[in-house]
Amino acid sequence: MLDLVPGGNLTLPDAAGPLALRVPGPFDLSVLITGDGGQVSGDGDFVFYNQPSAPGATLRGDTVTLDMGRLRAGASRVTVVVSPADPAVPLGRLPVPALSVTGSAGRSLARFTPPRPTHETVLLLAEVYRRGGGWKLRALGQGYADGLAGIARDFGIAVTEDDDPFTALVNAERARSGAPPVTPDPALTAAAEAHCAGMAARGSLGPAPGTSLYQRITDRGHRYLTVAEHLVSGPRTEADFLTYCLGDPRTAATVRDPALTRVGLAHAPAPGGDIFWTAVWTRPLTPDGLTAVTAEVLARTNAERRAAGLRPLSPDPHLTTAAQSHSDAMVTRGFYSHTSPEGRQPWDRARSAGSGHRAVGENIACGQRSAAEVVQGWMNSPGHRANILTPGFTHLGVGLRDGGELALYWTQLFGGSG
Protein backbone atom coordinates (compact mmCIF):
# COMPACT_ATOMS: atom_id res chain seq x y z
CA MET A 1 0.00 0.00 0.00
CA LEU A 2 1.27 3.47 -0.96
CA ASP A 3 1.23 6.42 1.48
CA LEU A 4 0.56 9.50 -0.63
CA VAL A 5 1.63 13.10 -0.04
CA PRO A 6 -0.17 16.17 -1.48
CA GLY A 7 0.26 16.05 -5.24
CA GLY A 8 1.29 12.37 -5.18
CA ASN A 9 -0.06 10.03 -7.85
CA LEU A 10 -0.91 6.37 -8.10
CA THR A 11 -1.60 4.52 -11.35
CA LEU A 12 -4.60 2.32 -10.71
CA PRO A 13 -4.18 -1.26 -11.96
CA ASP A 14 -6.58 -2.40 -14.64
CA ALA A 15 -7.64 -5.26 -12.37
CA ALA A 16 -8.36 -2.99 -9.41
CA GLY A 17 -12.11 -3.35 -9.98
CA PRO A 18 -14.49 -1.01 -8.15
CA LEU A 19 -12.66 1.41 -5.84
CA ALA A 20 -13.77 1.97 -2.25
CA LEU A 21 -12.73 5.39 -0.88
CA ARG A 22 -13.31 5.65 2.86
CA VAL A 23 -12.94 8.58 5.27
CA PRO A 24 -13.98 7.52 8.80
CA GLY A 25 -14.81 10.02 11.50
CA PRO A 26 -17.14 13.01 12.00
CA PHE A 27 -17.21 13.97 8.33
CA ASP A 28 -19.54 14.12 5.34
CA LEU A 29 -18.05 12.56 2.22
CA SER A 30 -19.09 13.58 -1.29
CA VAL A 31 -17.82 13.40 -4.88
CA LEU A 32 -18.16 15.56 -7.98
CA ILE A 33 -18.10 13.91 -11.41
CA THR A 34 -16.75 16.12 -14.19
CA GLY A 35 -15.46 16.04 -17.76
CA ASP A 36 -12.20 17.34 -19.18
CA GLY A 37 -13.33 20.94 -18.65
CA GLY A 38 -13.67 20.45 -14.89
CA GLN A 39 -17.43 21.16 -14.84
CA VAL A 40 -20.36 18.90 -13.99
CA SER A 41 -22.96 18.08 -16.62
CA GLY A 42 -25.77 18.74 -14.14
CA ASP A 43 -26.84 18.46 -10.50
CA GLY A 44 -26.85 14.66 -10.82
CA ASP A 45 -23.04 14.70 -10.92
CA PHE A 46 -22.89 15.77 -7.25
CA VAL A 47 -23.05 12.68 -5.00
CA PHE A 48 -23.58 13.58 -1.33
CA TYR A 49 -25.67 12.67 1.73
CA ASN A 50 -28.99 13.74 0.16
CA GLN A 51 -28.18 12.37 -3.32
CA PRO A 52 -26.17 9.26 -2.51
CA SER A 53 -25.78 7.74 -5.98
CA ALA A 54 -25.04 8.48 -9.62
CA PRO A 55 -23.99 6.17 -12.47
CA GLY A 56 -20.74 4.58 -11.30
CA ALA A 57 -20.69 6.24 -7.86
CA THR A 58 -22.44 5.23 -4.63
CA LEU A 59 -22.16 6.77 -1.16
CA ARG A 60 -22.89 4.63 1.89
CA GLY A 61 -21.93 6.02 5.27
CA ASP A 62 -18.25 6.91 5.26
CA THR A 63 -17.42 5.17 1.95
CA VAL A 64 -17.81 6.09 -1.71
CA THR A 65 -17.59 3.20 -4.18
CA LEU A 66 -16.54 4.07 -7.73
CA ASP A 67 -17.00 1.82 -10.76
CA MET A 68 -15.13 3.75 -13.44
CA GLY A 69 -16.61 1.68 -16.25
CA ARG A 70 -20.14 2.76 -15.28
CA LEU A 71 -19.56 6.52 -15.04
CA ARG A 72 -21.73 8.67 -17.30
CA ALA A 73 -20.53 9.30 -20.85
CA GLY A 74 -17.85 12.00 -20.96
CA ALA A 75 -16.83 11.66 -17.31
CA SER A 76 -13.06 11.81 -16.90
CA ARG A 77 -12.56 12.95 -13.32
CA VAL A 78 -14.07 12.24 -9.89
CA THR A 79 -13.13 14.68 -7.13
CA VAL A 80 -13.42 13.48 -3.53
CA VAL A 81 -14.62 16.11 -1.05
CA VAL A 82 -14.77 15.98 2.75
CA SER A 83 -16.57 18.39 5.08
CA PRO A 84 -17.61 18.37 8.77
CA ALA A 85 -20.74 16.34 9.51
CA ASP A 86 -21.67 19.17 11.88
CA PRO A 87 -21.35 22.42 9.87
CA ALA A 88 -20.88 24.36 13.11
CA VAL A 89 -17.51 22.67 13.73
CA PRO A 90 -14.55 23.78 11.57
CA LEU A 91 -12.23 21.13 10.19
CA GLY A 92 -9.40 22.48 12.34
CA ARG A 93 -11.21 21.28 15.48
CA LEU A 94 -11.69 17.73 14.18
CA PRO A 95 -9.26 14.85 13.66
CA VAL A 96 -7.35 15.10 10.40
CA PRO A 97 -9.42 13.24 7.75
CA ALA A 98 -7.65 10.12 6.51
CA LEU A 99 -8.50 8.61 3.13
CA SER A 100 -8.04 4.90 2.44
CA VAL A 101 -8.43 3.41 -1.04
CA THR A 102 -9.10 -0.27 -1.62
CA GLY A 103 -9.66 -2.27 -4.79
CA SER A 104 -11.26 -5.61 -5.52
CA ALA A 105 -11.21 -8.29 -2.82
CA GLY A 106 -10.41 -5.61 -0.26
CA ARG A 107 -6.88 -5.06 -1.56
CA SER A 108 -5.40 -1.90 0.00
CA LEU A 109 -4.07 0.43 -2.71
CA ALA A 110 -3.28 3.74 -1.04
CA ARG A 111 -3.91 6.03 1.89
CA PHE A 112 -3.60 9.77 2.26
CA THR A 113 -3.63 12.03 5.31
CA PRO A 114 -3.47 15.72 4.33
CA PRO A 115 -1.87 18.46 6.43
CA ARG A 116 -4.10 19.54 9.32
CA PRO A 117 -6.70 22.07 8.16
CA THR A 118 -7.08 25.38 10.02
CA HIS A 119 -9.94 27.69 9.03
CA GLU A 120 -11.12 25.65 6.04
CA THR A 121 -14.67 24.30 6.01
CA VAL A 122 -14.17 21.81 3.15
CA LEU A 123 -11.25 19.88 1.66
CA LEU A 124 -10.74 18.62 -1.87
CA LEU A 125 -9.13 15.43 -0.65
CA ALA A 126 -8.25 13.54 -3.84
CA GLU A 127 -9.23 12.98 -7.44
CA VAL A 128 -9.50 9.92 -9.66
CA TYR A 129 -8.85 10.92 -13.27
CA ARG A 130 -8.50 9.34 -16.69
CA ARG A 131 -5.04 9.32 -18.23
CA GLY A 132 -4.75 7.70 -21.62
CA GLY A 133 -6.57 4.41 -21.49
CA GLY A 134 -6.37 4.02 -17.70
CA TRP A 135 -7.11 5.80 -14.45
CA LYS A 136 -4.91 7.43 -11.82
CA LEU A 137 -5.42 8.69 -8.27
CA ARG A 138 -3.96 12.03 -7.14
CA ALA A 139 -3.82 13.25 -3.53
CA LEU A 140 -4.91 16.90 -3.18
CA GLY A 141 -5.60 18.27 0.32
CA GLN A 142 -6.82 21.63 -1.06
CA GLY A 143 -8.91 23.62 1.42
CA TYR A 144 -11.98 25.81 0.85
CA ALA A 145 -13.41 28.37 3.26
CA ASP A 146 -16.76 28.73 1.49
CA GLY A 147 -18.29 25.36 2.32
CA LEU A 148 -19.86 22.83 -0.02
CA ALA A 149 -21.86 25.60 -1.68
CA GLY A 150 -18.64 27.31 -2.79
CA ILE A 151 -17.20 24.11 -4.21
CA ALA A 152 -20.47 23.28 -5.96
CA ARG A 153 -20.52 26.71 -7.60
CA ASP A 154 -16.91 26.35 -8.76
CA PHE A 155 -17.74 22.99 -10.36
CA GLY A 156 -20.74 24.43 -12.22
CA ILE A 157 -23.69 23.56 -9.94
CA ALA A 158 -26.28 26.29 -9.48
CA VAL A 159 -26.58 27.06 -5.74
CA THR A 160 -29.52 29.19 -4.69
CA GLU A 161 -29.44 28.92 -0.91
CA ASP A 162 -28.19 32.52 -0.64
CA ASP A 163 -31.45 33.59 -2.30
CA ASP A 164 -33.60 31.75 0.29
CA PRO A 165 -35.23 34.50 2.38
CA PHE A 166 -36.24 32.20 5.23
CA THR A 167 -32.74 30.79 5.71
CA ALA A 168 -31.28 34.30 5.60
CA LEU A 169 -33.74 35.49 8.27
CA VAL A 170 -33.16 32.43 10.45
CA ASN A 171 -29.39 32.69 10.26
CA ALA A 172 -29.49 36.36 11.14
CA GLU A 173 -31.49 35.45 14.25
CA ARG A 174 -29.16 32.58 15.10
CA ALA A 175 -26.14 34.84 14.72
CA ARG A 176 -27.64 37.22 17.27
CA SER A 177 -27.95 34.35 19.76
CA GLY A 178 -24.48 32.96 19.02
CA ALA A 179 -25.73 29.83 17.23
CA PRO A 180 -24.11 28.63 13.98
CA PRO A 181 -26.04 28.96 10.71
CA VAL A 182 -28.37 26.29 9.40
CA THR A 183 -28.22 24.88 5.89
CA PRO A 184 -31.34 24.42 3.76
CA ASP A 185 -31.81 20.76 2.91
CA PRO A 186 -33.66 19.54 -0.22
CA ALA A 187 -34.87 16.31 1.43
CA LEU A 188 -36.28 18.19 4.41
CA THR A 189 -37.93 20.71 2.10
CA ALA A 190 -39.53 17.91 0.08
CA ALA A 191 -40.82 16.23 3.25
CA ALA A 192 -42.15 19.57 4.53
CA GLU A 193 -43.90 20.21 1.20
CA ALA A 194 -45.66 16.84 1.26
CA HIS A 195 -46.73 17.27 4.89
CA CYS A 196 -47.84 20.85 4.36
CA ALA A 197 -49.91 19.96 1.31
CA GLY A 198 -51.77 17.36 3.38
CA MET A 199 -52.51 19.83 6.19
CA ALA A 200 -53.79 22.43 3.71
CA ALA A 201 -56.02 19.89 1.96
CA ARG A 202 -57.53 18.84 5.31
CA GLY A 203 -57.61 22.38 6.69
CA SER A 204 -56.09 21.07 9.93
CA LEU A 205 -52.76 21.08 11.74
CA GLY A 206 -53.45 17.66 13.21
CA PRO A 207 -51.48 14.54 12.22
CA ALA A 208 -52.29 13.03 8.85
CA PRO A 209 -53.29 9.39 8.45
CA GLY A 210 -50.64 7.17 6.90
CA THR A 211 -47.06 8.34 6.54
CA SER A 212 -45.86 10.69 9.28
CA LEU A 213 -43.64 13.72 8.75
CA TYR A 214 -40.71 11.82 10.28
CA GLN A 215 -41.16 8.90 7.92
CA ARG A 216 -41.35 11.29 4.97
CA ILE A 217 -37.93 12.63 5.96
CA THR A 218 -36.16 9.26 6.00
CA ASP A 219 -38.09 8.09 2.92
CA ARG A 220 -36.27 10.89 1.09
CA GLY A 221 -32.88 9.65 2.26
CA HIS A 222 -32.26 12.03 5.17
CA ARG A 223 -31.23 10.35 8.44
CA TYR A 224 -31.26 12.31 11.67
CA LEU A 225 -30.13 12.12 15.30
CA THR A 226 -32.76 14.58 16.43
CA VAL A 227 -35.62 16.40 14.74
CA ALA A 228 -37.94 19.31 15.51
CA GLU A 229 -40.82 20.80 13.59
CA HIS A 230 -43.05 23.87 13.48
CA LEU A 231 -46.61 23.36 12.17
CA VAL A 232 -48.44 26.68 11.84
CA SER A 233 -51.36 28.23 9.96
CA GLY A 234 -52.00 31.91 9.37
CA PRO A 235 -48.74 33.79 8.57
CA ARG A 236 -48.60 35.27 5.08
CA THR A 237 -44.82 35.51 4.54
CA GLU A 238 -41.58 33.83 5.68
CA ALA A 239 -40.87 36.82 7.90
CA ASP A 240 -44.32 36.55 9.52
CA PHE A 241 -43.83 32.83 10.07
CA LEU A 242 -40.47 33.34 11.76
CA THR A 243 -41.89 36.15 13.93
CA TYR A 244 -44.66 33.80 15.03
CA CYS A 245 -42.14 31.08 15.94
CA LEU A 246 -40.00 33.51 17.90
CA GLY A 247 -43.02 34.67 19.90
CA ASP A 248 -43.11 31.50 22.04
CA PRO A 249 -40.13 30.44 24.19
CA ARG A 250 -40.35 26.76 23.19
CA THR A 251 -40.57 27.31 19.44
CA ALA A 252 -37.99 30.10 19.62
CA ALA A 253 -35.59 27.67 21.33
CA THR A 254 -35.79 25.42 18.25
CA VAL A 255 -34.94 28.30 15.91
CA ARG A 256 -31.87 29.10 18.02
CA ASP A 257 -30.83 25.53 18.91
CA PRO A 258 -27.13 25.13 17.97
CA ALA A 259 -27.52 21.34 17.69
CA LEU A 260 -29.93 21.69 14.75
CA THR A 261 -27.98 22.34 11.56
CA ARG A 262 -30.34 21.54 8.63
CA VAL A 263 -33.74 23.02 7.81
CA GLY A 264 -36.55 22.64 5.31
CA LEU A 265 -39.56 24.97 4.93
CA ALA A 266 -42.80 24.75 2.97
CA HIS A 267 -46.13 26.54 2.85
CA ALA A 268 -49.39 25.73 1.08
CA PRO A 269 -52.71 27.59 0.69
CA ALA A 270 -55.88 25.93 1.94
CA PRO A 271 -59.13 26.09 -0.06
CA GLY A 272 -60.54 28.63 2.41
CA GLY A 273 -57.62 31.03 1.91
CA ASP A 274 -55.60 30.14 5.01
CA ILE A 275 -51.88 29.35 4.60
CA PHE A 276 -50.30 26.33 6.26
CA TRP A 277 -46.60 26.16 7.10
CA THR A 278 -44.19 23.34 7.96
CA ALA A 279 -40.60 23.87 9.07
CA VAL A 280 -38.40 20.84 9.80
CA TRP A 281 -35.09 21.07 11.64
CA THR A 282 -32.59 18.24 12.14
CA ARG A 283 -29.18 17.23 13.34
CA PRO A 284 -28.09 14.73 10.66
CA LEU A 285 -27.15 11.20 11.63
CA THR A 286 -23.47 10.25 11.61
CA PRO A 287 -21.87 7.11 13.08
CA ASP A 288 -19.90 9.21 15.58
CA GLY A 289 -22.99 11.22 16.45
CA LEU A 290 -24.98 8.04 17.15
CA THR A 291 -22.16 6.78 19.37
CA ALA A 292 -22.14 10.07 21.27
CA VAL A 293 -25.91 10.08 21.86
CA THR A 294 -26.05 6.47 23.06
CA ALA A 295 -23.03 7.12 25.31
CA GLU A 296 -24.91 10.09 26.79
CA VAL A 297 -27.86 7.80 27.57
CA LEU A 298 -25.47 5.51 29.46
CA ALA A 299 -23.86 8.45 31.28
CA ARG A 300 -27.22 9.90 32.34
CA THR A 301 -28.44 6.47 33.44
CA ASN A 302 -25.31 6.03 35.56
CA ALA A 303 -25.80 9.47 37.07
CA GLU A 304 -29.22 8.32 38.29
CA ARG A 305 -27.71 5.12 39.70
CA ARG A 306 -24.96 7.00 41.52
CA ALA A 307 -27.53 9.35 43.03
CA ALA A 308 -29.29 6.25 44.38
CA GLY A 309 -26.05 4.83 45.80
CA LEU A 310 -25.71 2.13 43.12
CA ARG A 311 -22.70 1.09 41.06
CA PRO A 312 -22.62 2.38 37.48
CA LEU A 313 -23.37 0.15 34.53
CA SER A 314 -20.66 -0.78 32.02
CA PRO A 315 -21.21 -0.70 28.26
CA ASP A 316 -21.72 -4.12 26.70
CA PRO A 317 -21.25 -4.66 22.94
CA HIS A 318 -23.58 -7.69 22.83
CA LEU A 319 -26.37 -5.83 24.59
CA THR A 320 -25.73 -2.82 22.35
CA THR A 321 -26.13 -4.97 19.24
CA ALA A 322 -29.40 -6.40 20.53
CA ALA A 323 -30.72 -3.00 21.63
CA GLN A 324 -29.91 -1.40 18.27
CA SER A 325 -31.49 -4.26 16.35
CA HIS A 326 -34.69 -3.88 18.39
CA SER A 327 -34.89 -0.13 17.74
CA ASP A 328 -34.28 -0.83 14.06
CA ALA A 329 -36.97 -3.51 13.99
CA MET A 330 -39.58 -1.33 15.70
CA VAL A 331 -39.13 1.32 13.01
CA THR A 332 -38.75 -0.88 9.93
CA ARG A 333 -41.49 -3.32 10.93
CA GLY A 334 -43.87 -0.75 12.39
CA PHE A 335 -44.45 -2.01 15.94
CA TYR A 336 -43.77 -0.71 19.44
CA SER A 337 -43.43 -3.45 22.02
CA HIS A 338 -40.96 -5.48 24.07
CA THR A 339 -42.26 -8.51 22.15
CA SER A 340 -41.39 -8.78 18.46
CA PRO A 341 -44.07 -9.84 15.94
CA GLU A 342 -42.75 -13.42 16.05
CA GLY A 343 -42.82 -13.47 19.87
CA ARG A 344 -39.14 -12.86 20.70
CA GLN A 345 -38.50 -11.30 24.12
CA PRO A 346 -35.60 -9.10 25.36
CA TRP A 347 -33.71 -12.08 26.78
CA ASP A 348 -34.06 -13.91 23.45
CA ARG A 349 -32.51 -10.95 21.63
CA ALA A 350 -29.71 -10.65 24.19
CA ARG A 351 -28.86 -14.35 23.93
CA SER A 352 -28.90 -14.28 20.12
CA ALA A 353 -26.46 -11.35 20.18
CA GLY A 354 -24.01 -13.38 22.28
CA SER A 355 -24.81 -12.06 25.74
CA GLY A 356 -24.27 -14.44 28.65
CA HIS A 357 -26.06 -12.38 31.31
CA ARG A 358 -28.45 -14.41 33.45
CA ALA A 359 -30.75 -11.46 34.18
CA VAL A 360 -32.01 -9.17 31.39
CA GLY A 361 -34.29 -6.13 31.46
CA GLU A 362 -35.42 -3.70 28.79
CA ASN A 363 -36.72 -0.14 28.54
CA ILE A 364 -38.13 1.24 25.30
CA ALA A 365 -39.41 4.68 24.39
CA CYS A 366 -40.44 6.63 21.29
CA GLY A 367 -40.88 10.29 20.46
CA GLN A 368 -38.28 11.76 22.81
CA ARG A 369 -35.80 14.01 20.99
CA SER A 370 -32.67 13.78 23.18
CA ALA A 371 -30.79 11.58 25.64
CA ALA A 372 -31.76 13.90 28.48
CA GLU A 373 -35.45 13.74 27.57
CA VAL A 374 -35.60 9.97 27.21
CA VAL A 375 -33.74 9.18 30.45
CA GLN A 376 -35.90 11.66 32.35
CA GLY A 377 -39.00 10.06 30.86
CA TRP A 378 -37.88 6.61 31.99
CA MET A 379 -37.11 7.91 35.48
CA ASN A 380 -40.63 9.37 35.69
CA SER A 381 -42.15 5.93 34.94
CA PRO A 382 -42.13 3.46 37.87
CA GLY A 383 -41.46 0.35 35.78
CA HIS A 384 -38.68 1.90 33.71
CA ARG A 385 -37.19 3.53 36.79
CA ALA A 386 -37.07 0.14 38.48
CA ASN A 387 -34.93 -1.25 35.66
CA ILE A 388 -32.52 1.70 35.81
CA LEU A 389 -32.16 1.31 39.57
CA THR A 390 -31.99 -2.49 39.78
CA PRO A 391 -28.90 -3.26 41.92
CA GLY A 392 -28.21 -6.58 40.17
CA PHE A 393 -27.81 -5.07 36.71
CA THR A 394 -24.18 -4.47 35.79
CA HIS A 395 -24.15 -3.77 32.03
CA LEU A 396 -26.13 -1.79 29.46
CA GLY A 397 -26.61 -1.55 25.71
CA VAL A 398 -28.42 1.35 24.03
CA GLY A 399 -30.08 1.53 20.61
CA LEU A 400 -31.56 4.48 18.72
CA ARG A 401 -33.33 4.58 15.34
CA ASP A 402 -34.87 7.48 13.42
CA GLY A 403 -37.69 7.47 10.89
CA GLY A 404 -40.52 5.84 12.79
CA GLU A 405 -44.06 7.15 13.03
CA LEU A 406 -43.07 9.00 16.21
CA ALA A 407 -39.60 10.06 15.04
CA LEU A 408 -37.01 8.39 17.32
CA TYR A 409 -37.22 4.91 18.89
CA TRP A 410 -34.99 4.15 21.89
CA THR A 411 -34.01 0.85 23.53
CA GLN A 412 -32.10 0.17 26.77
CA LEU A 413 -31.09 -3.46 27.35
CA PHE A 414 -29.79 -4.28 30.81
CA GLY A 415 -27.79 -7.34 31.83
CA GLY A 416 -26.63 -8.76 35.16
CA SER A 417 -26.15 -11.85 37.21
CA GLY A 418 -29.61 -11.89 38.65
Side-chain angles (χ1 to χ4, degrees):
M1 180 174 60
L2 179 64
D3 283 310
L4 295 171
V5 297
N9 286 273
L10 169 68
T11 298
L12 297 172
D14 293 339
L19 295 178
L21 300 99
R22 179 172 182 256
V23 181
F27 305 107
D28 279 338
L29 192 60
S30 53
V31 297
L32 289 141
I33 302 165
T34 59
D36 291 337
Q39 298 286 289
V40 299
S41 64
D43 292 353
D45 282 346
F46 187 20
V47 176
F48 66 117
Y49 47 82
N50 278 329
Q51 185 170 272
S53 65
T58 303
L59 171 65
R60 288 191 177 91
D62 61 7
T63 302
V64 169
T65 301
L66 299 179
D67 187 341
M68 314 313 291
R70 296 185 59 249
L71 294 174
R72 62 151 175 94
S76 59
R77 189 177 304 267
V78 180
T79 303
V80 182
V81 180
V82 66
S83 57
D86 183 346
V89 180
L91 284 170
R93 290 173 51 192
L94 297 175
V96 178
L99 171 69
S100 62
V101 183
T102 59
S104 59
R107 177 189 172 195
S108 296
L109 300 177
R111 60 188 177 195
F112 171 55
T113 303
R116 174 173 287 280
T118 55
H119 63 283
E120 294 93 343
T121 56
V122 177
L123 282 179
L124 300 184
L125 198 55
E127 60 185 5
V128 180
Y129 62 100
R130 187 189 300 273
R131 177 58 57 88
W135 291 86
K136 299 185 75 172
L137 171 75
R138 177 185 292 122
L140 297 176
Q142 177 186 345
Y144 267 66
D146 196 19
L148 281 177
I151 286 183
R153 279 189 290 265
D154 286 353
F155 279 75
I157 295 174
V159 178
T160 60
E161 67 184 48
D162 292 340
D163 299 325
D164 175 5
F166 179 70
T167 304
L169 290 168
V170 166
N171 284 336
E173 175 61 33
R174 287 170 70 91
R176 285 189 286 270
S177 65
V182 292
T183 302
D185 189 288
L188 294 182
T189 299
E193 288 172 345
H195 190 76
C196 206
M199 292 194 303
R202 298 190 313 275
S204 170
L205 293 173
T211 304
S212 74
L213 173 60
Y214 318 112
Q215 292 166 318
R216 294 185 194 277
I217 293 170
T218 51
D219 285 349
R220 285 159 175 81
H222 184 94
R223 301 289 306 279
Y224 52 85
L225 279 172
T226 190
V227 62
E229 68 281 346
H230 291 142
L231 308 178
V232 176
S233 65
R236 314 304 293 181
T237 67
E238 287 87 351
D240 292 341
F241 172 75
L242 181 59
T243 298
Y244 179 91
C245 294
L246 294 174
D248 179 89
R250 291 188 62 186
T251 53
T254 296
V255 174
R256 303 183 182 114
D257 188 345
L260 299 170
T261 60
R262 305 281 166 83
V263 67
L265 177 73
H267 64 277
D274 201 358
I275 297 180
F276 284 77
W277 296 79
T278 300
V280 189
W281 316 73
T282 69
R283 175 187 173 192
L285 173 71
T286 64
D288 286 351
L290 178 61
T291 298
V293 172
T294 55
E296 184 183 351
V297 171
L298 173 62
R300 290 182 176 274
T301 298
N302 280 336
E304 299 291 349
R305 287 178 65 88
R306 289 189 184 95
L310 299 173
R311 295 181 62 182
L313 304 173
S314 298
D316 185 300
H318 303 297
L319 296 176
T320 296
T321 297
Q324 185 61 53
S325 68
H326 190 57
S327 287
D328 291 341
M330 287 192 291
V331 169
T332 59
R333 302 179 67 185
F335 72 97
Y336 178 67
S337 173
H338 294 288
T339 305
S340 71
E342 59 274 346
R344 287 168 58 83
Q345 301 291 338
W347 42 90
D348 300 319
R349 294 188 286 273
R351 185 169 54 252
S352 294
S355 170
H357 295 291
R358 293 169 53 194
V360 172
E362 185 178 78
N363 287 342
I364 58 175
C366 61
Q368 295 83 355
R369 309 301 175 87
S370 68
E373 185 179 345
V374 74
V375 173
Q376 188 59 57
W378 281 326
M379 288 300 293
N380 291 339
S381 167
H384 298 96
R385 178 188 178 94
N387 273 337
I388 289 175
L389 300 183
T390 293
F393 285 146
T394 56
H395 291 78
L396 180 69
V398 180
L400 169 63
R401 175 62 183 258
D402 60 326
E405 182 180 358
L406 297 176
L408 293 164
Y409 284 62
W410 307 77
T411 302
Q412 279 187 317
L413 195 60
F414 302 83
S417 58

